[in-house]
Amino acid sequence: MEEKKTAWERLQIIHAKGRPTVNDYIPLVFTDFYEMHGDRLYGDDKAVLGGIARLKNMPVTIIAQVKGRDINENKACNFAMPHPEGYRKALRLARQAEKFHRPVICFIDTPGAFCGVAAEERGQGEAIAKNIAEFMTLRTPIISIVLGEAGSGGALALGVCDELAMLENAQYSVLSPRGFASILWKDASREKEASEIMMITAEDMVRLGVAETIIEEPLGGAHNDLDKISENIKEYLSYKIPEKCKKDIDVLLKERYTKFRKIGEFIE
Amino acid sequence: MFEDFFKVVKQRFNDGIDEDEHKIVKCPRCQNNIFLERYEELHRVCPNCNYHGRLSVSERIDITVDKNSFRELDADMISGNPIDFPLYTEKQQELREKTGLKDAVVTGTAEIKGSPTVIGVMDSRYMMGSMGSVAGEKIARAFEYATENSLPVIMFTASGGARMQEGIVSLMQMAKTAGAVKFHSDNGGLYITVMTDPTTGGVTASFASLGDIIIAEPKVLIGFAGRRVIEGTIKQKLPDDFQLAEFQHEKGFVDMIVERRKMRSTLSHLLKLHGYYPQEKEV
Ligand SMILES: [Zn+2]
C-alpha cells in the first residue's frame, strides 16, 4: 500500500506532463469510435470531443473534455476550456444518444469553462445552465468520470449524471485552489494551503455525496501504467452501464435528481 | 474563474441600509455623485445614466408585490458548514445580525396585482448574494412548491456566484436549482427571471439563465466570467458596456430591459398573459 497522499500531492500528479488524456483512453476502452463534430449552431469546439463507440458490444455516446498532450495539442483544444459551442455540441450529442437509447459516458477534465469575450458574447452561462438542466432529465443513463481536474461550472456541465466516478488522484472543485486563495485571502501564493482545506479529492467527493466511486490508479499515478488504468475504467463502465440500463428510466431520473437534491448542509 | 467579481463589485455602490442620509454616493456606471437620500427616493436608480442600483430584499418586495401579500417560505433556514471552513459559521452569525437576513435569498408566495406567484429575491449585501446550501435549498423548494401548486415563479437574481466557503457543495447547488427549474418547466409552469445587479458566475450558469422569459434592469452587470479575469486573458481593457444588460440584450440572452418603475405592471401583465389571473377571494 502507498502512503496516503495529500490533496496537494495529488494535484502535482494530475498536472504533471504525461498524465493520460481522454485520447489515450478511448482506443483502450472502446472500439469502433466515430467522432462527431459541431453544435449545428455556430462551430466545432475542439475542447469538447464527442462521438459514438462500442463498450464491449454496447453502443454508447462519448462526450469528453480534451486536454492536449503537448503545447500544439493544447493550443488546438484550448487547454480543455470549452466555449459555449462546446457545451452545445455536448448537448446535441446527448440528445442524439437519448433518441437512439444509447447510454452517455462523459469524461471530465477541465480547469473550467473558458473566460473570454467571445465566450461571453455567445452565452457561456446560458450554455452551461442549459446542459445542467437538460442532462437532469435526459432519458438515458449518464455516467461521468473525472479524469484529472474538474473545475467549476465548466465541469458540472458534463457532470449531471446517474453516477460520478473519480480517478483516484482526480480533483473536483468550485474553482482552482489558486483562484480560491486569491479571492478569499487575496494571496494566490497560498494555493497549497487552499488545496488542503477546500475538500477537493476523490475521497472528499465520496464523503460529500458528489461522487459514488473511486477508480484506482496504478502506483504513482495513471501515467505509470496506461493499460492498467484503462482496464480499470473499462471494467467499471462495463459493470455500471448495464446496471443503470436495467433500471426503469423514470426511477433512474428520480434518483438522478435526488442525488443532487440532497447535497447541502443547512439548519432549520 | 469568478476571481474578480468580488473586488470589482465591492468598489461599486455600497448599498448599505444603515448609512447617513446626507451621505453622497457615486454611481458605479457614470461616476455621478448623488445624495443618498435622493437616491433612495428614486428607488436607487441613477438620475444621470439610469443605472438600476441594488435593493435590499425588503425594498424589492415592497415595490413589487401587493401590500401584505408576501408569505415567506423556509424563513428560518440557516447555513451549516459543509467543508468545515474556518470561521464560516462565525461570519454567518455576524452577517445575520448585521443584515437581518438569514442568507442571500428570500423566497415566498405573493400576489402581483392579484395574480398569485412564487417569488424569490436575492440580496447582494449578504456575502455578495453567493449561492450556498441555503440558497440552493430554498430556491429548489420554491420551485417544487410552485410545481405542486401550479404557480409561476419570479426570481430576482443578484449574485457574485458560488459560495466559495462551501467548496464543491456550493457548485452542486447549481445542479439542484437547475433541476428544480427543469421539473417546474416540464410541468408547464411559467418562470420569469429578473436579472438585477449583479447576476454572475454560478447563478448565471444555472437557474438565472433558465427563465421562460428573462428580464433585466437597465445597466446591471450580467455575465459568467469576471471582467478582470477576461481582461487578464486577453491582455486588454474591455469596453465599459461589456456584460451590461444592454449588451446581453443585444447578444440575445435577455428578452427585455424593464425599468424599475414599470416592473410591477410588466410582471402583472406577463402573469395574466399566461393565465395567472387574480383569484376570487373568499368572502
Ligand atoms: Zn449613473
Side-chain angles (χ1 to χ4, degrees), chain A residues 137-191:
Chain A
T137 54
L138 196 78
R139 297 182 71 80
T140 194
I142 310 169
I143 301 289
S144 297
I145 302 180
V146 182
L147 296 177
E149 62 180 328
S152 187
L156 183 61
L158 300 188
V160 172
C161 55
D162 299 300
E163 186 166 317
L164 182 77
M166 308 273 301
L167 296 198
E168 189 183 336
N169 292 308
Q171 65 133 89
Y172 198 174
S173 61
V174 64
L175 84 171
S176 70
R178 197 175 169 76
F180 189 91
S182 96
I183 289 185
L184 287 181
W185 303 323
K186 315 279 172 248
D187 183 0
S189 70
R190 287 169 72 185
E191 57 179 322

Side-chain angles (χ1 to χ4, degrees), chain A residues 88 111-117 120-130 132-134 136-137 150-156 160 172-176 178-180 182-186 197-199 204-205 208 210 253-254 257 260-268, chain B residues 1-3 6-7 10 74 76-86 133-134 137 140-141 144 162 164-176 178-180 182-183 186 204-206 209-210 222-225 229-230 233-234 238 242-243 247-248 251 253:
Chain A
R88 291 175 185 138
F114 189 65
C115 296
V117 174
E120 291 294 316
E121 286 176 342
R122 297 200 285 275
Q124 190 72 286
E126 191 273 349
I128 293 170
K130 187 164 243 172
I132 295 171
E134 295 295 325
M136 194 63 86
T137 54
S152 187
L156 183 61
V160 172
Y172 198 174
S173 61
V174 64
L175 84 171
S176 70
R178 197 175 169 76
F180 189 91
S182 96
I183 289 185
L184 287 181
W185 303 323
K186 315 279 172 248
I197 67 163
M198 284 173 72
M199 298 204 185
D204 293 327
M205 291 313 118
L208 293 166
V210 174
L253 292 186
K254 199 161 190 179
Y257 181 51
F260 293 95
R261 187 66 187 78
K262 66 184 187 200
I263 301 174
E265 198 180 302
F266 51 86
I267 304 154
E268 49 182 341
Chain B
M1 158 149 321
F2 314 119
E3 268 93 316
F6 294 81
K7 263 183 260 160
K10 266 189 201 149
D74 305 304
D76 295 323
M77 193 187 294
I78 59 167
S79 186
N81 189 357
I83 65 164
D84 297 323
F85 190 80
S133 296
V134 172
E137 183 69 22
R141 285 191 194 179
E144 287 163 354
M164 302 299 153
Q165 292 85 345
E166 293 191 25
I168 194 71
V169 171
S170 70
L171 191 73
M172 294 300 127
Q173 307 311 310
M174 293 168 63
K176 186 189 275 190
K182 184 62 165 50
F183 289 112
D186 288 353
T204 300
S206 62
S209 292
L210 296 170
I222 301 167
F224 174 66
V229 177
I230 300 171
T233 311
I234 62 173
L238 289 160
F242 184 68
Q243 290 180 323
F247 168 96
Q248 298 293 359
K251 299 299 172 196
F253 294 98

Side-chain angles (χ1 to χ4, degrees), chain B residues 27 29-30 46 48-49 51:
Chain B
C27 172
R29 296 288 177 269
C30 71
C46 173
N48 188 44
C49 77
Y51 160 69

